[in-house]
Structure formats: structure tokens, C-alpha cells
Amino acid sequence: MILVDKEIKQRADEIFQEGYCESNVTAISYDLHIQGIISGDELVKKYTLRPGEVVFIKTKEKIKMPLDLMGRIGEKNSRMRQGLVVAGPHYYPGHCTYLYLRVQNITGGTVKIKEGDKIAQIFFEQLTDKPGTDYAHQPNASFNDEEEYRGLARYKDEYEDRMEKLKNVNKDLDEKINNIYTNILTIMGLFVSVFSLVMVNFTNITENNMTKEFIVPMNISLGIVITLFVGLLLIFVNKAKSRGFLIAYIVLLLALLIGLFILL
């Protein structure tokens, strides 16, 4: 059951600790007003929301929900048509606080808000019974007695842990994408190198230059170039830095250099 105007007026002293004004009572709700807008670490009296921007506002009204009521935030038609989306939590029995509401501009232009503006409404719902543990006595009631804006409060560490995990996932994904690209680059490099080796040999065959004294040093020289090229790709691009790979790579490169030196 939702309280109507005369019931809200009758119970106003129970519900409101500060900011109550009888003229703000409507047929089935109470209009909430801006005390200030959260901007950085300050509470400012006026603010211009850019397209898509989200801010939190503090209301003039401070509530202390009776144990048989729950408060539910609702948007105002005028603000909705203006292009503002206003959201707030449910206020449980025993919840004592100023109301901090999230306001977003979903239009393509700017929207100005200021101290004293009607920003939302609150409905009061009658409960079937009083809860065994009200909000004020819950061990995780992080937003009770919120005189100043607390941001994420105790959820900050949880949020930061979640963001850190997302960063790690994105980092792993970026590394996998980079590995794919570098592997493709390595394969293309090998293909171009082998193709060049084949073409050089084919050209010399057609020109009858295939003498032992010419072709062997030439192929070893090309082999050294290919080994250097592929090694650079694997070591500096593909991050292949295992000790076994580096030893095998150095041995192969030395063997080719020694072979070329002997032939020359």
C-alpha cells in the first residue's frame, strides 16, 4: 500500500528529519529538491550536464524511514521530458540519510540543474510488518547517516578488484592478439625468405651459374640472412626468450658463419 497525501502529512515528523515542506506533498508522493550537485570533492549550487554526462545530487530532504515504511524513488514527468534520467535506491526501514540521486543527461544538448530544483519524487510504501533487522542495524549498511557523499564507500575495494581483473583480462587479450600478429609476421617472413632463396637458385640455374664454388657460399650467405631475420622476429617481436631457444639459435648462426668463413 502506498501512502497518500494526507497520510504523508500526518507522518511527516516521523519520516523527515530536515527539509520537509508540506507544499511539496503530492497526491501519492513527495517532491525532492536539490541541495547541491556533487562535482569532484565539492557540493556546487548549479551545474550544466553535457550530453551523456552523469552526476550525483544531494537533496535538501533528510529522511529517517519508520520501521513500517519503505521509500521508493520515482522520476518526475517534467524531468523525464527534459531528457534527464534520475535514479535512486530503495530506502529501507531504519534508513537515516540525505538522499543522493544519480542524474544523467540523455539528450544531445546541455541541461542545467541548480539548487532548489525539483529533481525526483519519493513514494512511501506501507509494509505488512516491521522487519527483524532494520537498515540502521545491518552490518553492511554503508550508506546510513550519509551526511557527506561517500562515493563507493565499502564497495570501493571490491570495485577496484573487479576493474583490476578486467584490466588483466584486457592485457591478456592484447597479448594474444599481438602474438597472433607476430606469428603471422614470422610466417610471412619465412615464406618470403624461402621464396627468395628458391628464386635466387632458380635464376642461377637458368643462367648456368650453378658451380659448387658459387652456389654453396651463396646459399649459406642467404641462410645466414634468413636466420638473422627470423631470429630478430622471434626474439624482439614474438618475445621468444627461452634459454634453450637462444642457445640453439646462436649455435645455428655460428655454424653458418663458420661454414661460410671456411668456404671463403
Side-chain angles (χ1 to χ4, degrees):
M1 182 180 72
I2 296 177
L3 299 192
V4 298
D5 50 3
K6 58 185 178 182
E7 293 171 317
I8 296 172
K9 292 175 183 179
Q10 289 170 358
R11 303 193 62 178
D13 289 341
E14 296 179 66
I15 297 172
F16 295 94
Q17 284 196 335
E18 293 180 24
Y20 172 74
C21 180
E22 190 171 291
S23 62
N24 296 328
V25 179
T26 67
I28 57 171
S29 68
Y30 180 92
D31 285 340
L32 297 168
H33 295 72
I34 296 175
Q35 181 184 134
I37 302 97
I38 311 297
S39 178
D41 296 327
E42 296 182 341
L43 191 69
V44 299
K45 293 186 176 182
K46 57 183 178 180
Y47 194 87
T48 302
L49 283 93
R50 298 182 296 274
E53 187 177 8
V54 176
V55 295
F56 274 82
I57 65 96
K58 179 181 182 180
T59 64
K60 288 186 174 182
E61 293 79 13
K62 183 179 181 181
I63 60 168
K64 184 175 182 179
M65 295 302 299
L67 298 184
D68 62 336
L69 294 180
M70 181 190 76
R72 179 164 53 86
I73 299 299
E75 290 187 314
K76 291 190 65 63
N77 201 347
S78 56
R79 287 303 188 182
M80 182 177 65
R81 292 169 186 262
Q82 191 180 10
L84 294 179
V85 176
V86 183
H90 288 65
Y91 291 93
Y92 287 16
H95 200 159
C96 179
T97 184
Y98 288 97
L99 284 69
Y100 291 89
L101 308 179
R102 187 183 68 213
V103 181
Q104 181 180 16
N105 175 14
I106 61 171
T107 72
T110 59
V111 178
K112 295 180 180 180
I113 55 176
K114 64 182 185 304
E115 181 185 15
D117 283 351
K118 293 180 180 179
I119 193 64
Q121 56 188 326
I122 184 169
F123 301 91
F124 303 102
E125 299 187 27
Q126 181 75 54
L127 306 178
T128 58
D129 197 359
K130 296 178 181 180
T133 303
D134 61 54
Y135 188 82
H137 293 91
Q138 290 180 9
N140 60 346
S142 298
F143 302 104
N144 209 37
D145 298 317
E146 191 175 8
E147 298 289 328
E148 303 297 334
Y149 182 62
R150 294 177 186 166
L152 292 169
R154 71 179 184 86
Y155 299 100
K156 182 178 180 181
D157 291 340
E158 179 182 335
Y159 174 79
E160 289 178 348
D161 288 343
R162 191 182 308 163
M163 292 304 296
E164 187 64 28
K165 289 178 182 178
L166 287 174
K167 287 180 182 178
N168 291 335
V169 169
N170 289 333
K171 183 179 179 180
D172 291 341
L173 181 60
D174 289 340
E175 288 179 356
K176 288 179 181 178
I177 292 173
N178 288 334
N179 286 336
I180 291 172
Y181 284 135
T182 52
N183 286 332
I184 292 173
L185 184 61
T186 302
I187 292 170
M188 290 179 63
L190 281 170
F191 175 78
V192 171
S193 300
V194 172
F195 181 77
S196 300
L197 182 61
V198 171
M199 287 304 298
V200 168
N201 281 282
F202 179 77
T203 301
N204 282 285
I205 289 173
T206 56
E207 294 179 358
N208 296 317
N209 291 328
M210 292 295 290
T211 63
K212 180 180 178 181
E213 290 76 12
F214 173 80
I215 200 62
V216 174
M218 182 198 68
N219 279 282
I220 292 177
S221 300
L222 287 173
I224 292 171
V225 173
I226 292 172
T227 302
L228 284 170
F229 174 72
V230 173
L232 291 173
L233 283 176
L234 292 174
I235 294 172
F236 294 104
V237 179
N238 212 19
K239 309 300 182 183
K241 295 182 179 180
S242 69
R243 181 177 295 181
F245 168 79
L246 291 174
I247 292 173
Y249 174 70
I250 293 171
V251 169
L252 175 61
L253 190 59
L254 286 175
L256 290 171
L257 290 170
I258 292 171
L260 182 63
F261 178 77
I262 291 172
L263 289 173
L264 295 176

